Amino acid sequence: MNRRVFLGVGVAAVLGADVLPGARVSLGVIGVGWMGLAMMKIFMSDPRVQVAGICDIDADHLKEAAAEAPDARTFHEFEELLSRSDIDAVYMALPDHWHAIVAVNAARGEGHLR
């Protein structure tokens, strides 16, 4: 089992467990290449998840993801997405060397996430 499978199973278990019955999560997705877009679609299949923000440096990836979630705002800079007050959680599908940078910014409350 690789890391991505493990994380996917963990997310599915949490969503399936009704940890917060009736709650709706406003999600920001950072990185919507092939993995990020696929995971975004999986999250969108759950009625408790609303994709509110999408971020990618690649304009083509961003355009493709925006077509899947037309109500979501789009960003080229992750700091802009993190500053949104309507984002409850973020999913990141980034190259390895970006994971820590974005995760630390989100965890520190850079922007709204605290």
Side-chain angles (χ1 to χ4, degrees):
M1 178 181 291
N2 66 30
R3 175 176 50 97
R4 292 181 200 268
V5 171
F6 174 77
L7 292 173
V9 169
V11 168
V14 168
L15 289 175
D18 278 334
V19 174
L20 299 170
R24 186 162 173 89
V25 175
S26 180
L27 182 68
V29 181
I30 302 174
V32 286
W34 69 271
M35 175 58 75
L37 183 59
M39 288 301 298
M40 185 182 91
K41 289 178 183 179
I42 291 169
F43 285 123
M44 290 175 63
S45 70
D46 188 315
R48 297 168 293 178
V49 177
Q50 173 191 8
V51 174
I54 303 167
C55 177
D56 202 293
I57 197 77
D58 185 298
D60 292 332
H61 290 167
L62 198 55
K63 183 178 178 182
E64 184 178 359
E68 296 292 331
D71 293 334
R73 294 212 35 213
T74 58
F75 306 92
H76 285 286
E77 303 291 333
F78 73 87
E79 296 93 345
E80 293 177 79
L81 183 141
L82 293 179
S83 72
R84 293 287 306 269
S85 63
D86 61 339
I87 302 290
D88 299 319
V90 290
Y91 172 79
M92 297 173 284
L94 303 166
D96 289 341
H97 62 280
W98 277 100
H99 284 170
I101 295 166
V102 178
V104 167
N105 279 317
R108 281 186 176 160
E110 302 294 323
H112 170 71
L113 295 177
R114 296 185 184 188

